[in-house]
Amino acid sequence: MITTRNALRVLAAAVASAGFAAVSTPTLADTLTCTSASFRANADASGNIQVTCTVPSSGGDSGGGTTNPPPIDTGGGTPPPPSDGWAGTCPGYSKTIVYDLPWNAQSKITTKGFANGTMLVARFTTPNTSVQSGSATIASAEWLPPRVTRSASISTSPCDLGGTGTGAVSGGWTQTPGWTYQILGTASRLSGRVVLQPNTTYYVNIVNRDSAGQSTCTTSTCEMIVQLTVPTGL
């Protein structure tokens, strides 16, 4: 986020109170030091100081100190036409948000309105192939704070958190549900891989809930990213 502020030189204290620290009243062409983000301060011909502050985004942080750009929302947050025969709503939840993850090299969605009582369903379909693939990932991350515990599964059934659908795998209770998977073949328990079938629609089902079934989102919404990476060659 880029924030631009104009301040008179005599108002350096006001700038400091907004999160910028100034040791002394700046003169033309002085540069302030921002305590909470990086910024530049430039003086104009009238003696005003223009402060441009770049606030690091908290969303999409991979944990390694880098921030990903906002991913493209491919689902729009509303149920697409039920080509898979599903009406797009999960019983027992006040709201269902549905996204499609296209089978591209890498596709991402960012949620909108992911609150308590909401079921997030990210849907994708594997290709029709007889070739056993290598491994790839289905991953997630917080897009906006706070970090919360979530219940999740990947299943051939939408809304399925209990792992009862064909090919269902529970994601347990974690802040960032994710799986390593392959198409066809047999994966050992030690590999940690999920084996998916070709030409099959899968649903990544996620709610803001802990192992005791209690809601975990402490703000109005707890948005997140879900990302599908496909195996090389498929």
Side-chain angles (χ1 to χ4, degrees):
M1 176 174 24
I2 306 298
T3 303
T4 301
R5 299 185 181 182
N6 290 313
L8 289 173
R9 286 177 292 169
V10 296
L11 296 180
V15 176
S17 69
F20 303 94
V23 176
S24 60
T25 302
T27 59
L28 290 178
D30 274 351
T31 300
L32 302 178
T33 300
C34 180
T35 59
S36 59
S38 65
F39 77 101
R40 289 179 176 274
N42 297 308
D44 61 21
S46 301
N48 294 318
I49 297 173
Q50 185 180 69
V51 180
T52 302
C53 180
T54 303
V55 181
S57 171
S58 60
D61 193 336
S62 62
T66 60
T67 301
N68 296 326
I72 297 173
D73 187 338
T74 59
T78 57
S83 58
D84 55 2
W86 175 47
T89 58
C90 293
Y93 293 88
S94 59
K95 181 180 179 182
T96 304
I97 50 177
V98 184
Y99 296 87
D100 276 326
L101 289 166
W103 190 263
N104 299 326
Q106 185 181 86
S107 59
K108 299 179 184 180
I109 60 91
T110 307
T111 64
K112 294 181 179 68
F114 190 22
N116 290 330
T118 300
M119 171 72 80
L120 163 63
V121 181
R123 174 174 62 183
F124 67 94
T125 301
T126 55
N128 188 9
T129 179
S130 59
V131 177
Q132 179 178 328
S133 77
S135 63
T137 59
I138 302 163
S140 68
E142 274 75 18
W143 176 237
L144 295 173
R147 294 180 179 272
V148 301
T149 299
R150 310 182 198 269
S151 301
S153 76
I154 177 173
S155 176
T156 53
S157 299
C159 316
D160 173 26
L161 286 176
T164 58
T166 303
V169 179
S170 173
W173 300 276
T174 177
Q175 294 175 349
T176 54
W179 301 264
T180 300
Y181 75 92
Q182 68 185 54
I183 307 295
L184 293 175
T186 302
S188 67
R189 278 182 168 270
L190 293 178
S191 73
R193 295 182 188 176
V194 177
V195 177
L196 303 184
Q197 299 305 307
N199 196 29
T200 303
T201 298
Y202 286 92
Y203 303 85
V204 180
N205 306 299
I206 308 175
V207 295
N208 297 316
R209 187 183 295 170
D210 62 20
S211 59
Q214 298 300 308
S215 298
T216 55
C217 183
T218 56
T219 54
S220 58
T221 62
C222 294
E223 311 299 355
M224 67 184 307
I225 298 170
V226 179
Q227 174 181 289
L228 170 70
T229 302
V230 306
T232 303
L234 288 184

